[in-house]
Amino acid sequence: MSTTASRPTPRTTTTPGAAPEQPQRPARAPRAFTPRAHVHHALHALRHAAPALLAYLAVRGTGLLLLTVWAHRQRHGVWPILATQWDADWYLGIADHGYAHELGTAPSANNLAFFPLYPTLVKAFAALTPGTRASTGLAIAVIASLVAAWGVFAVGDRLHGRRAGILLTTLWAALPVGLVQWMGYTESLFTALAAWSLYAVLTGRLLTAAGLAALAGLTRPTGVAVAAAVTAAALLALRRRFSLRTLAAAAIAPLGWCGYVGWVGLRVGRWDGYFAVQRLWHNELDGGLETLRWMRRLLVYDSTPELFLVMVTLTLIASVALFGLSLWDRQPVPLLVFAAVLLTIVLGSGGVYFPRARFLLPAFPLLLPLALRLSHASSRYRTLTLTAAVAGSAYCSAYMTLVWPSAP
């Protein structure tokens, strides 16, 4: 009960020639947030984000158009490229047949390396919708990409305003490997969960952020980065004021990642089962030695390096530079923690080199320094920069699927 409500209402006094003083009305209780209010609020937020979502669709549509024309000239089908090849085939296999029961010894052959949320969604929605599981998986990825674009905009808008949010979304769509956002992969789903989890942190809803972080931990190995960001925010909040809800958020955030890692250990009968699976895929942390060897080989010793690998190398170098700018701009701690952990995993891995630009696709906070600076630049410079980014993204995306012989 408020203290003002418990006090007696003071008597009114009047003076000659003055109007009587009106008694002060008690403050109204806040209105309940009804389902109708929720819908109204969501529609308002969607209208606010509409320019960013339209920009996202325009960028990705441009890339898809170039891919379609290029693939037609080479007599390739676009749908199999997007829905059934490489990692998409692994996820469809899990949706069809489930996970392996044993560790085995064959390299790069155990499907326990792939986290379960996406194939579970594919299996569940395919049972309720017409079409194949491949088309269902692709539809989930495309829808998740729009949810992710909305979340990316929301973070940029929250920190630096609407223009920066639109630019951040456009830059994220125009990454060199942006086509992966519309493939049967987990990057779009993971980015959607990560972006909205970070937005929930920025708006003080730590339990919501923790729940989304737990789902992100069931989507990709790098889900631990989202959990670390939410847990760090919760611990900082606990330093200021103790709260059971905040403590619960810190505990919930890593449950998805830890739960799957623990389940794999039980399934193969050894405590380090998941890490043993990763060793079969040659994914072990080596402090970045293998990454540096690849960079030196491509940039110094190889006289004719493969274009796609050069693009991957430049993306990694640019990501480190952008993280430095993020520190300079004093981004919020949760965003810095998320980007730092993600960079550490990607750069510190001794595994395969060529998919690392894709592994960094969810690290959208690294683009905030660019979005912020473009928001203050002249319209001509902004237009030229975005046009070059969209054209480069369209070309690189088509090249990596039609010319590069391995997975993106």
Side-chain angles (χ1 to χ4, degrees), residues 34-56:
T34 63
R36 184 176 180 180
H38 275 290
V39 173
H40 178 76
H41 179 74
L43 290 176
H44 174 75
L46 181 58
R47 285 194 297 270
H48 186 66
L53 297 179
L54 290 174
Y56 176 79

Side-chain angles (χ1 to χ4, degrees), residues 90 105-111 113-114 277-283 352:
W90 281 99
T105 57
S108 305
N110 194 311
N111 63 7
F114 298 88
V277 170
Q278 289 293 345
R279 284 193 291 272
L280 289 175
W281 283 85
H282 309 292
N283 286 330
V352 289

